Amino acid sequence: METFTQLLIDWGYWGLFLAAFVAGSIVPFSSEAVLIALVHMGLDPAGCVAAAAAGNTLGGMTCYAIGALGDAKWIARLGIGERRLGQAQRFLAGRGALMGFFAFLPVIGEAVALALGLMRSNPWLTSGSMLAGKAARYIVILATFEGAVSLL
């Protein structure tokens, strides 16, 4: 895993985009480490946040597409349990595509995107709200890291 992370760091913005894409899909991966490493190496923080948010949103929309194509039993085979998917559906009930904002959540983020796909929410609103949530998350992570580094 360390070699893969180093390869992504070597690719710069494209590596961060790919890391965030993988992390946004159902594959567990930490794009935050790549983000912080690239900013620490001197890449533009705004460019890094843009690359990470775009990649993570595209990864989240793959979960949305899987939800739109499948059913709950098929999704359970991918590692998203019916309990977690049910929690996400109850969380989203009656709220619609703007709830894609919460796809950044660490525990149920993928389930939120899958549930929105199953519910056939508006893909444009879903992707826009998902982008806003994921960008906000990366900004908070970067600001927290920068604040911690300034204390040293």
Side-chain angles (χ1 to χ4, degrees):
M1 188 62 80
E2 289 178 31
T3 305
F4 182 63
T5 303
Q6 185 59 48
L7 177 67
L8 294 172
I9 290 169
D10 291 343
W11 287 354
Y13 295 115
W14 287 108
L16 179 55
F17 178 88
L18 182 59
F21 174 81
V22 170
S25 69
I26 59 171
V27 178
F29 188 74
S30 176
S31 59
E32 294 84 1
V34 178
L35 171 75
I36 291 171
L38 289 174
V39 170
H40 184 66
M41 290 172 50
L43 269 70
D44 178 42
C48 286
V49 167
N56 207 260
T57 299
L58 189 58
M61 288 306 289
T62 61
C63 292
Y64 172 92
I66 290 169
L69 295 173
D71 62 28
K73 292 176 185 166
W74 183 69
I75 291 169
R77 289 187 220 148
L78 295 174
I80 306 295
E82 288 186 39
R83 181 175 163 266
R84 198 162 76 173
L85 189 58
Q87 286 174 325
Q89 285 178 313
R90 283 188 298 281
F91 177 72
L92 299 171
R95 294 187 180 99
L98 295 178
M99 294 305 285
F101 180 87
F102 296 101
F104 74 88
L105 293 171
V107 176
I108 66 164
E110 292 87 5
V112 166
L114 286 164
L116 285 169
L118 279 170
M119 298 164 81
R120 306 289 195 274
S121 68
N122 182 311
W124 295 106
L125 286 175
T126 300
S127 62
S129 61
M130 195 180 290
L131 177 65
K134 291 176 181 273
R137 176 175 163 258
Y138 281 115
I139 289 168
V140 167
I141 288 168
L142 194 55
T144 302
F145 174 75
E146 292 295 321
V149 167
S150 69
L151 294 174
L152 298 177

